[in-house]
Amino acid sequence: MSSASSLLSEERLLCSICLDVFTDPVTIQCGHNFCSTCINTHWDSRDICQCPMCKQKFSTRPELRVNTVMSELADDFKKLVQVKASTPGPQLPVVDVLCDICSEIKEKAVKSCLTCLTSFCESHLEPHRRVAGLKGHTLLEPVKNLDDRMCKTHNKMTELYCLKEQAFICVLCLKAGHKGHNAVPLEEQYEKLTATKDEAQANIQKLIQTRIEKIAEVEKLLDVSEVDSEKENQAAVQVFTELIQFIQASQAELVEAIEQRHSAIKQKGEEFLKELRREVTELKSRSSQLEHLSQSEDHYHFLQSFQTLSKPPHKSCPDTDLCPDLSFKATLGHLTRLKQRVEEIMEEIPEIRMKRMREHAVDLTLDPDTANYSLVISEDGKQVVSEDQIKLDKVTDNPKRFHAYRQVLAKEGFTTGKFYFEVQVKGKISWIIGVVRESVDRKTPIGASVENGYWTFRFDEGKYKTSADSERKILKEELQKLGIFVDYNKGEVSFYNVDSKSRIGCITGCGFTEKLYPYFCPQPNDNGNSAPLIIIPVPQTH
């Protein structure tokens, strides 16, 4: 059987809407409990009735049933809280503190002594009540970890509170590390803060109420969003269904028209062949007769027949146009362009565009041989940070290494197709990321421009620009992850805010002719720019 304390656990008696102990609790059909006013107000502000806990929907507004058991438990709990609140003195948490003096079976402590820093059971506390020298010690309800109240530096009791550093100190601290600081006795600070308790409680209650209202607002927005989402789904399905039906019907009509045209051409061609074959047979007969006539010695007969046989009736060859109508090819071209336009329209939806880009994700690793002397690459090759001091003795020079600026390339290069990668820039206030051509100048201090072979996105204290832009712009959204999508064949580099899925920069008409390498420049550590650039795994698309 549950104990009374577990039955009266506050967590069991909280309404999930107002986050307070139940008032007039009621139960709905799914079995969850709420304050009567809370659930009614919750449903009054929504178009649909559903449980705030399990989200079960109801076709009609459920009948509310008073939960008498929960109501009695809530009332008992409130009475218990009132009794505790009326008890004088500060109320400490109920914990099992054991006597520090008991050697074998330790009894529960009844008091803790701040002077002795020891907790005593009833029997071992007796000297503090009898001996004159011990009666002046400070006793309080049993508490654990009395050693935490000792100054670790001077091994004395922390009896003062430093207002400047908001720390517990002893009297010797006031002469050493806290010299000149304003410090007061713990009792004085306790009384001062206790006097502000009501104001602090009022502020907390105000914050609670503000958040309850915000919870209701967000829940309402989620409900509206769910309804809107269902409507959008239905509308999208309807539009695509009609489009598919239209395309299928158009496909059937086009196939039928092509078959009809082929049938007509076939019939016309067969008639043409039949006529040609008949004429060939007739001409072969004349040729045979003419050959036979040439062997005759009857001059009269030869002259009489030769004219007729050598000159058959003048008749032009049947002219039949069997070339296909080019309108069908034009139609197929139009359909191909329509398909491309549909793809473009679909990619205007950020989630679909991001999904399709991520299908071209590549796994990159930073190339230490290209890293500037002031850069440090992580062991897995996924992170790069700047060092405040350049250590030339630790890095050997080579033709691939960048000299002038803090730059590094990935090991992987690309000469065709599409590729995509993501970089975490959280915590940084200045950086440059993008792609560069293989022959980019790595020794001379040149600008990161398109003309110099840089197709990059530069961020600097809230402003940004691509290497093709002339002026910087203010970035109005938070940027923690940058996505870079490159279409080599199309000559286009795009930059995306991964979290919002919005395109924040694009360079077109690049006309790539060399191998491209992903490029990273974390910039110096000035003004808190010490966070690393991190190549992060791209989520798999399904």
Side-chain angles (χ1 to χ4, degrees), residues 155-293:
N155 199 29
K156 292 185 67 67
M157 192 70 183
T158 54
E159 299 174 343
L160 300 174
Y161 185 79
C162 178
L163 298 178
K164 182 178 180 180
E165 298 188 11
Q166 298 183 350
F168 297 98
I169 62 175
C170 69
V171 291
L172 295 181
C173 291
L174 198 56
K175 298 178 181 180
H178 295 262
K179 186 176 182 179
H181 293 183
N182 187 11
V184 297
L186 297 182
E187 295 82 0
E188 181 180 334
Q189 184 66 9
Y190 166 78
E191 292 174 359
K192 179 181 178 181
L193 294 181
T194 303
T196 64
K197 177 179 68 67
D198 292 340
E199 181 182 354
Q201 184 71 3
N203 291 334
I204 291 175
Q205 291 301 322
K206 185 178 180 180
L207 292 175
I208 291 174
Q209 184 60 35
T210 301
R211 278 149 182 76
I212 289 174
E213 293 173 358
K214 181 60 69 173
I215 289 172
E217 179 183 344
V218 173
E219 286 181 339
K220 185 175 181 179
L221 289 175
L222 289 175
D223 291 341
V224 171
S225 176
E226 184 175 359
V227 173
D228 290 344
S229 178
E230 291 179 358
K231 291 180 179 178
E232 289 175 356
N233 284 338
Q234 293 174 359
V237 170
Q238 179 65 26
V239 169
F240 271 96
T241 299
E242 294 175 357
L243 179 61
I244 291 171
Q245 292 174 347
F246 174 76
I247 291 176
Q248 289 176 337
S250 299
Q251 178 187 8
E253 290 178 342
L254 182 59
V255 170
E256 182 181 2
I258 293 174
E259 290 178 349
Q260 288 177 352
R261 178 170 295 180
H262 175 68
S263 178
I265 292 175
K266 181 179 179 181
Q267 181 179 357
K268 198 171 184 180
E270 289 177 349
E271 292 176 354
F272 184 33
L273 290 174
K274 182 178 179 181
E275 178 65 18
L276 288 175
R277 289 190 181 102
R278 186 191 64 76
E279 291 183 1
V280 168
T281 300
E282 179 182 341
L283 291 173
K284 285 182 178 181
S285 175
R286 285 177 176 269
S287 176
S288 177
Q289 293 179 38
L290 186 61
E291 180 66 26
H292 180 71
L293 180 65

Side-chain angles (χ1 to χ4, degrees), residues 72-128:
E72 291 174 357
L73 289 174
D75 290 340
D76 290 342
F77 181 81
K78 290 177 181 178
K79 292 177 183 178
L80 180 61
V81 172
Q82 291 174 356
V83 170
K84 289 185 176 181
S86 63
T87 303
Q91 298 297 307
L92 297 174
V94 178
V95 291
D96 290 336
V97 180
L98 301 180
C99 177
D100 294 324
I101 307 301
C102 293
S103 58
E104 296 181 357
I105 301 177
K106 289 186 176 291
E107 298 289 337
K108 286 186 179 181
V110 294
K111 292 291 181 180
S112 293
C113 179
L114 293 182
T115 307
C116 301
L117 293 178
T118 307
S119 297
F120 301 97
C121 65
E122 188 64 47
S123 61
H124 289 117
L125 183 64
E126 189 271 338
H128 278 73

Side-chain angles (χ1 to χ4, degrees), residues 314-326:
H314 180 72
K315 186 177 181 181
S316 62
C317 183
D319 186 13
T320 302
D321 184 10
L322 298 179
C323 296
D325 194 334
L326 296 179

Side-chain angles (χ1 to χ4, degrees), residues 372-389:
N372 179 268
Y373 301 106
S374 59
L375 297 182
V376 177
I377 310 298
S378 62
E379 290 186 4
D380 62 359
K382 302 297 184 182
Q383 301 186 29
V384 56
V385 294
S386 293
E387 278 193 344
D388 293 330
Q389 295 182 349

